[in-house]
Amino acid sequence: MTRRKWGQVLIGAGILAGGGYWLAHHSSHHPGTSNWRVPVLFIPGYNGNRFSLGPMIRRFVRHGWGAQVATVWLDQGRITRVQGELTTSDLIQVLFVQNRGPVEVQVPGLRVLLRTLYQLGRKEVKVVAHSMGGVALLHYLVTHDVHQEPAIKQAVTIAAPFNDTDPGKTDWAHIEDYALTSTGPTHQTPRYRHLHRNKVAIPATTRFLNVYGELHAHTDGSVGVNSVRALRHLVAASRYQEHRFTGVGAQHSLLHQNAAVDRLVATFLGRRGLSGKD
């Protein structure tokens, strides 16, 4: 698929202006009292669908850590469908119509969603993103518009390959895992160089939790540990923490099905007095 230049992914002001009204008046559910002060977005990775982060959201709900208020479908720079209600701050599942598209296809959709939330009065959000979704989030953050888009106060990235050439298109026989030094990766992919050049634009108020798994040979079975941990060289140390998981539940597609990851994520996002059994 031909990749669009970054200058071509900006959304027209007229489309954005109508987005808030559309979302506020096209919902099928009426959730109760909010469990969160701000919306929490769950962004899937390559080829993601309802069954990617949906089970994690359902476990959050079961434990009393929130209520799912909406599912939103994005297609490049458009919101194509909303199931639920966005006027209540709680858990929101994000899905991409072109779920096998490159990062450049996902970022415009994230932007229109976040600008629409801003128009609805949401000045802050929190994000949980898996794999390629985490890479898309970082690309969004280096172009974040503080005047039209909510601040992302906390961002959880799970198994996101920041220093891969083409996230989601991994050649399983050749997982990219360039060594990390005190100053960064020994080799930077073009995508990582873009993030590194523009890292100053990442909001200084965003705190990061970077979760990764390690099974063997510095990988989680799909992406390299060093590619995931390369995020530490894009954000300030004071705003960054990472957590390593091992064992069967550390496999790339099982990390977001891991009860220990659930609890870590919920705690980082600010849930206090967590209840429920794993």
Side-chain angles (χ1 to χ4, degrees):
M1 180 182 294
T2 302
R3 296 188 173 187
R4 300 176 186 272
K5 296 180 180 179
W6 285 102
Q8 295 175 311
V9 301
L10 297 178
I11 310 303
I15 296 175
L16 291 173
Y21 179 90
W22 193 94
L23 284 176
H25 292 81
H26 289 75
S27 59
S28 59
H29 301 300
H30 301 280
T33 304
S34 173
N35 289 279
W36 294 85
R37 188 172 60 85
V38 301
V40 183
L41 308 183
F42 289 76
I43 304 173
Y46 182 80
N47 202 28
N49 54 39
R50 279 183 177 270
F51 302 104
S52 299
L53 295 179
M56 174 182 267
I57 295 172
R58 288 194 293 275
R59 291 191 301 273
F60 270 51
V61 172
R62 187 172 70 246
H63 291 321
W65 302 344
Q68 183 174 359
V69 294
T71 300
V72 182
W73 284 262
L74 307 175
D75 188 2
Q76 298 195 56
R78 298 182 301 119
I79 298 170
T80 61
R81 180 185 174 194
V82 176
Q83 181 181 19
E85 178 62 80
L86 292 187
T87 56
T88 300
S89 294
D90 227 308
L91 314 180
I92 299 171
Q93 183 171 23
V94 177
L95 297 174
F96 297 102
V97 174
Q98 297 188 47
N99 60 359
R100 296 186 180 184
V103 168
E104 288 79 4
V105 168
Q106 296 183 351
V107 172
L110 291 177
R111 189 175 308 285
V112 74
L113 171 59
L114 286 160
R115 288 190 176 184
T116 300
L117 288 172
Y118 189 86
Q119 292 162 7
L120 290 173
R122 307 304 172 204
K123 299 303 186 284
E124 298 179 5
V125 300
K126 302 182 181 188
V127 177
V128 179
H130 176 250
S131 194
M132 181 173 159
V135 182
L137 173 63
L138 258 291
H139 276 272
Y140 162 78
L141 283 173
V142 299
T143 57
H144 175 253
D145 185 343
V146 297
H147 301 294
Q148 300 185 65
E149 296 157 13
I152 296 180
K153 302 302 291 184
Q154 289 142 306
V156 179
T157 54
I158 303 173
F162 297 102
N163 196 27
D164 272 26
T165 301
D166 196 354
K169 300 291 183 66
T170 302
D171 176 1
W172 309 119
H174 179 64
I175 294 176
E176 294 179 273
D177 192 50
Y178 307 108
L180 292 180
T181 69
S182 60
T183 58
T186 54
H187 171 76
Q188 295 185 4
T189 64
R191 185 172 300 286
Y192 188 84
R193 285 200 297 273
H194 169 77
L195 293 173
H196 196 272
R197 282 196 306 269
N198 295 282
K199 66 180 182 179
V200 66
I202 297 174
T205 56
T206 304
R207 295 193 298 114
F208 293 86
L209 170 63
N210 193 18
V211 178
Y212 68 96
E214 186 166 8
L215 297 179
H216 52 79
H218 303 291
T219 81
D220 63 9
S222 297
V223 303
V225 167
N226 286 329
S227 183
V228 178
R229 295 183 68 232
L231 175 61
R232 59 170 39 229
H233 295 286
L234 298 176
V235 299
S238 60
R239 295 183 285 115
Y240 175 84
Q241 59 181 282
E242 63 184 30
H243 194 98
R244 171 177 174 263
F245 284 87
T246 60
V248 175
Q251 193 273 339
H252 186 76
S253 297
L254 293 181
L255 273 170
H256 55 69
Q257 310 297 347
N258 188 322
V261 174
D262 291 350
R263 189 170 292 275
L264 176 69
V265 170
T267 301
F268 176 78
L269 292 178
R271 296 310 296 161
R272 296 291 181 259
L274 297 183
S275 62
K277 297 180 179 179
D278 294 340

